[in-house]
Amino acid sequence: MQDDYKAAIQLVSQWIADYQDTVESYPVLSQVKPGKVLSQLPLQPHRTSESFEKIFTDFKSIIVPGITHWQHPQFFGYFPANSSPPSVLAEMLIASMGVQGMSWATSPAATELEIRVMEWLRDLFDIPSQFTGVIQDSASSSTTIAMIVAREKITDFYINENGYMNHQLVAYCSEEAHSSVEKAAKIIGLGRKNLRKVPVNEQQEMDVSILDQFIQEDIQSGKKPFFITGVFGTTSSTAVDPLKGISVLAKKYQLWFHVDAAYAGAALMLPEMRVLADGINEADSIVINPHKWLFTTFDCSTFFIRDKEALVRTFSLLPEYLKTPEGDSVTNFRDWGLGLGRRFRSLKLWFVIRWYGIDGLQKKLRTHIEMSQKLESWIHEHPHFEVAAQRHFNLVCFRLKASDAINMQLMQTLNESGHLFLTHTKLNGKVVLRMVVGQTDVQERHIEDAWLRIGKIGEILIQNIG
Ligand code: PLP
């Protein structure tokens, strides 16, 4: 058995190394039709053991064709969920040890490495030292956690004890904030209607004067404003809310100020980008996802909170079976979030930060931003295309100067080709294509190739209209 395992590890690690070299040869978007994978899977599992060779052969022939290759350098859609060699190596080690780091005692290294790595990241992101960091699975969880802690703090921990009693709480975010904020409002029992969405200007930034007006209206009608999310890099266009203005209102009305920097927060590592984040230091909590633009395999979301005591008070419970001799003289991260069990995610961050070094990480981010600047300039120069949103980071929003339907057709044709993958959104009522230059190994030749293909199909579509 042991020898079989060793042989299987060789096979898998060879495949992993080859995948890194050959990922460009796969179609970016999986080409399988709905139901194709399912039709190749037996209705019942085998009663007897199967050889790993057989399992692995099926993995290659059934599963891989049904994979959309998020690590393909021409995956330009959504936001990347980028991986990297050090992160993959860490995942292999994490899986092999099967660490569950809920308490300090269940793996002291998992807890203590997380403490140190989160201090490193806090400083790298230039977040004030009053903040403490903890790793969560996703930005959605981080935002939910922030909303729950804020709710408890404002009600003096009443709802944790008694449940809701005709609550009057109300929260705010912009119309462009990610759907995870609304989901959090549903999950925590606030109710979607008690999350007010503040209109944005043409650059998709929250209108702070309307926020002020909403808060005043709510106070006058007996409601209790308690939470505001400002976004540093919206999902549609990476717009940045006026964090400074929001922080002033948050102070004035005593609201918890949460900053969703899930994607663009990685850019806080670049001193030249800090100017965009004026006001972030006034936040109560901040979320940044290394599993998006910091080369750390999904999942890994870093959550920074100013009032760590309120967080722990909100979530801690200590049944007999979880008591350990160290008690609360050590950090027990099980008390810092939704789940009890915790993956050993800090190992990935540790490997990634050491493998690239701060200089290497900054260089990669800057290269991505520079390439997206280039792409933007090509779009500006093209007679049939237009840039559709202000670019702050490495997302370029653009459109063919034609109808929404033609733009959707352009995107669909490109995606079906398998050569590249884009996604779309709507800005100011119009369909816009999004191209994020953020893959770990994306190079200039990839954006050149993509732009050539986009231009060619765009021109054919325009000619067909004419
Ligand atoms: N916030 C923003 C701004 C996002 O763009 C996203 C996802 O793209 C999220 C939150 C949700 O991230 P997660 O998948 O980690 O929950």
Side-chain angles (χ1 to χ4, degrees), residues 78-79 137-141 143 176-181 231-236 260-264 287 289 291-292 298 301:
Y78 303 112
F79 282 137
D137 59 356
S138 62
S140 305
S141 295
T143 296
E176 285 289 321
H178 189 261
S179 56
S180 53
V181 184
V231 189
F232 182 76
T234 58
T235 312
S236 278
D260 178 355
Y263 180 68
V287 58
N289 279 357
H291 72 221
K292 293 196 190 301
F298 191 86
S301 176

Side-chain angles (χ1 to χ4, degrees), residues 278-311:
D278 187 25
I280 199 170
N281 288 354
E282 310 304 317
D284 293 291
S285 53
I286 303 167
V287 58
I288 299 171
N289 279 357
H291 72 221
K292 293 196 190 301
W293 192 20
L294 219 48
F295 321 109
T296 308
T297 316
F298 191 86
D299 54 5
C300 184
S301 176
T302 55
F303 178 64
F304 300 91
I305 186 159
R306 190 183 288 277
D307 188 347
K308 166 188 106 176
E309 278 70 34
L311 171 73

